[in-house]
Amino acid sequence: MDSSSSSSIPWSTIWVVISWYSSNIGVLLMNKYLLTNYGFKFPVFLTMCHMMSCSIFSFVGIQVMEIVPFQSLQSKEQFVKICVLSLVFCFSVVCGNVSLNYIPVSFNQAIGATTPFFTAICAYVVSRKREAWLTYATLLPVVAGVIIASESEPSFNLLGFIICLSSTFSRAFKSVLQDLLLSSEGEKLNSMNLLLYMAPMAMLVLLPATLLMEKNVIQITVDVARNDIKIMGYLVFSSSLAYFVNLTNFLVTKHTSALTLQVLGNAKGAVAVVVSILIFKNPISMIGMCGYALTVLGVILYTEAKKRYSSNITN
């Protein structure tokens, strides 16, 4: 058999990966533009728009277009578990959007790259799950890189740093909780069906939060739209991208593997940093770039160590 033809990557997979990169980086840049450059300082309302979009598109994608088979809930206990996941998911997304008010996308991505570190901590605290010592060792450069990047970040903001760190921790905590709460065969949901249930729940939580924390935001948005109708296009575009991030994430995993998704995610973070610097012209030091590169290297080593540890257990 011709090795070149057997190892070639299908065009469908390439387009899915490109779409995943574009939607991920696009929603980050769009949110940053709206919240800082455009001056639409309502991150909770923006997140609610995202969840509304995810609710609508998920329903259409699963029930109408049948992208994946519909999975119904099996019990009240499963419903309660998904509610808990929705709250954590909601907190993570809100914190991520709020942090963009204070720190540049490049620094946001550097902090976000520490997700494996927090995942390992949460897995041990919640379920006493241990990794090989080599896996834990690879997390040292992940943390060290962010510390270096933080120390030399020209646009460093302590509040933004703490909020982004909270978002990263919540994202890691959600992944551990998801494995723990939906671990039985009868409760497992694919990511698209899980989003179908989680997005409306998150939207119901965000609606009163928006009305309490960002009073008159709807009236303000209407008033802004009267003078600049582009704001509506920005909100719709940002909200649509938020759904396509989840859709393409699912498709990349389907066309490749969860491990490949992690590796591609590492590269995506680096691309997002470069693109954001080129677009927003935020200052960044050479030491900061080295710190972020160290973090990415650590995540790559972590992924490789996890892969080897898993294969050894299997064998």
Side-chain angles (χ1 to χ4, degrees):
M1 182 182 291
D2 183 7
S3 60
S4 61
S5 61
S6 63
S7 61
S8 60
I9 302 173
W11 274 105
S12 58
T13 302
I14 294 173
W15 282 115
V16 164
V17 171
I18 291 174
S19 300
W20 183 55
Y21 268 49
S22 301
S23 57
N24 265 274
I25 297 172
V27 76
L28 265 173
L29 299 179
M30 194 71 238
N31 290 350
K32 178 65 177 177
Y33 174 77
L34 273 170
L35 295 169
T36 56
N37 297 62
Y38 190 83
F40 189 80
K41 297 186 178 297
F42 302 105
V44 181
F45 176 71
L46 180 61
T47 307
M48 191 188 74
C49 291
H50 288 180
M51 293 303 102
M52 184 185 300
S53 171
C54 287
S55 301
I56 295 170
F57 280 121
S58 293
F59 179 81
V60 172
I62 294 174
Q63 298 282 27
V64 180
M65 299 176 64
E66 299 181 347
I67 296 174
V68 294
F70 172 70
Q71 295 174 290
S72 59
L73 297 182
Q74 302 301 312
S75 64
K76 290 183 179 179
E77 289 77 13
Q78 188 184 19
F79 174 77
V80 172
K81 291 174 181 178
I82 293 176
C83 285
V84 174
L85 285 173
S86 298
L87 288 173
V88 179
F89 173 65
C90 188
F91 181 77
S92 172
V93 177
V94 168
C95 285
N97 285 337
V98 172
S99 71
L100 291 173
N101 270 323
Y102 304 97
I103 59 176
V105 172
S106 54
F107 192 40
N108 174 286
Q109 288 294 286
I111 299 170
T114 61
T115 301
F117 171 76
F118 290 110
T119 302
I121 292 175
C122 290
Y124 178 76
V125 172
V126 174
S127 58
R128 289 293 184 266
K129 181 181 178 182
R130 294 176 180 270
E131 302 285 355
W133 68 268
L134 182 61
T135 305
Y136 287 120
T138 60
L139 293 172
L140 294 176
V142 172
V143 178
V146 171
I147 293 173
I148 293 171
S150 301
E151 287 291 327
S152 59
E153 172 59 48
S155 306
F156 180 83
N157 180 284
L158 181 59
L159 180 60
F161 175 77
I162 293 172
I163 294 173
C164 191
L165 210 60
S166 301
S167 173
T168 305
F169 176 82
S170 301
R171 188 162 57 247
F173 186 49
K174 174 194 164 286
S175 66
V176 172
L177 273 184
Q178 186 172 320
D179 287 340
L180 185 68
L181 296 179
L182 303 177
S183 57
S184 67
E185 285 300 321
E187 291 183 333
K188 281 185 178 178
L189 297 170
N190 63 51
S191 60
M192 296 308 299
N193 273 275
L194 185 59
L195 184 66
L196 175 67
Y197 292 112
M198 285 175 54
M201 293 178 189
M203 191 176 67
L204 290 176
V205 172
L206 288 167
L207 180 58
T210 300
L211 297 176
L212 286 172
M213 299 170 64
E214 299 174 347
K215 296 178 180 178
N216 301 321
V217 62
I218 296 176
Q219 184 59 51
I220 292 171
T221 304
V222 171
D223 292 340
V224 172
R226 285 173 181 164
N227 297 320
D228 186 6
I229 194 62
K230 287 187 293 185
I231 182 63
M232 302 307 295
Y234 293 151
L235 289 173
V236 170
F237 184 53
S238 175
S239 301
S240 300
L241 284 175
Y243 170 73
F244 284 106
V245 167
N246 293 280
L247 174 62
T248 53
N249 184 292
F250 171 79
L251 292 175
V252 168
T253 306
K254 182 180 178 181
H255 281 74
T256 56
S257 67
L259 184 62
T260 303
L261 183 73
Q262 286 183 310
V263 175
L264 290 170
N266 301 336
K268 174 186 64 65
V271 173
V273 168
V274 174
V275 173
S276 68
I277 292 171
L278 291 174
I279 292 178
F280 295 112
K281 310 294 184 184
N282 56 282
I284 186 167
S285 66
M286 184 57 66
I287 296 176
M289 285 295 291
C290 291
Y292 182 67
L294 181 62
T295 296
V296 173
L297 176 62
V299 175
I300 293 171
L301 292 174
Y302 170 82
T303 304
E304 184 64 25
K306 283 269 291 182
K307 182 177 69 174
R308 291 189 178 185
Y309 180 63
S310 300
S311 64
N312 288 338
I313 292 177
T314 306
N315 296 331

